[in-house]
Amino acid sequence: MSAACGGGSGSGTAGSTTGSATSTTSSAPAASADPVEWTGTFCEGIGPTIDGVMSLLKTMFEGGADDPAVQKAALLDYSSKAAPALTRAGEELEDLGAPSAEAQALHDELVKFFTESGDTLTKVSTDLAALDPADPEFATKLEQLGGDQADPSKLQEQIKKLQDDPQLGEAFTKAPQCVALQEKMASLGG
């Protein structure tokens, strides 16, 4: 089984080399990403989101929950930082490729999660900017923004999947970005 992990770069040794280049599609990278680098990219991508959630919670606990204008400002701050970070992480993970064949499905799921979350939060920012905190329906309209994709618990689910993966879970404990993230989350009690 482990012999198949060699990448197959020597498979054309006895064959003819009639073409100058074989297929150049990027759908299946030849080399696997380093698991520690991959998990570090994951953690670096969600770092601003975790920071944003912490800042948002702090604002709400300090009285912002009773002031629609403060809520709007805090949510805009969160979404304007989290959206580009998630989008960038999705792109960087896509460029790195999966750390192993076994991790391909999780890799694809996380790239999709980051990309869709970034897109959703970008739209939420735009929609939120248009809301008037003085509108009596502000709270109702605010609740309707983003749907499931903007739910922070979805991010927590993705972190858990990564931690539960045998290979990536170990890399998660070694990547400096993930160690720092775990310390932040511990300070939140999560």
Side-chain angles (χ1 to χ4, degrees):
M1 281 184 230
S2 62
C5 295
S9 60
S11 62
T13 307
S16 66
T17 53
T18 54
S20 61
T22 55
S23 174
T24 57
T25 59
S26 61
S27 61
S32 296
D34 174 75
V36 174
E37 180 184 3
W38 190 94
T39 55
T41 300
F42 170 90
C43 292
E44 188 173 357
I46 61 174
T49 304
I50 301 296
D51 291 343
V53 168
M54 291 173 71
S55 177
L56 186 59
L57 289 172
K58 182 177 186 275
T59 299
M60 294 304 154
F61 286 131
E62 291 176 349
D66 298 326
D67 185 340
V70 172
Q71 281 182 355
K72 178 180 176 178
L75 287 165
L76 276 171
D77 183 60
Y78 163 72
S79 61
S80 68
K81 291 175 183 171
L86 292 170
T87 300
R88 188 173 42 257
E91 292 167 355
E92 290 174 3
L93 288 174
E94 181 73 34
D95 289 346
L96 283 173
S100 68
E102 297 80 20
Q104 185 67 49
L106 180 59
H107 166 79
D108 292 344
E109 179 183 338
L110 290 173
V111 167
K112 181 180 179 199
F113 171 78
F114 276 124
T115 303
E116 289 178 357
S117 296
D119 291 347
T120 298
L121 282 174
T122 298
K123 182 175 179 346
V124 165
S125 285
T126 303
D127 294 347
L128 182 59
L131 291 182
D132 179 2
D135 182 347
E137 296 294 313
F138 177 78
T140 303
K141 291 176 181 177
L142 186 62
E143 286 178 19
Q144 296 170 352
L145 295 181
D148 259 5
Q149 204 63 36
D151 180 357
S153 69
K154 300 292 181 193
L155 183 60
Q156 207 170 14
E157 289 172 19
Q158 300 304 324
I159 294 169
K160 178 122 178 71
K161 286 179 188 176
L162 184 65
Q163 290 173 321
D164 289 346
D165 182 88
Q167 179 189 25
L168 298 176
E170 182 181 336
F172 190 87
T173 64
K174 294 179 181 176
Q177 303 93 322
C178 297
V179 171
L181 178 70
Q182 287 179 303
E183 290 170 1
K184 280 182 197 177
M185 291 175 65
S187 73
L188 259 182

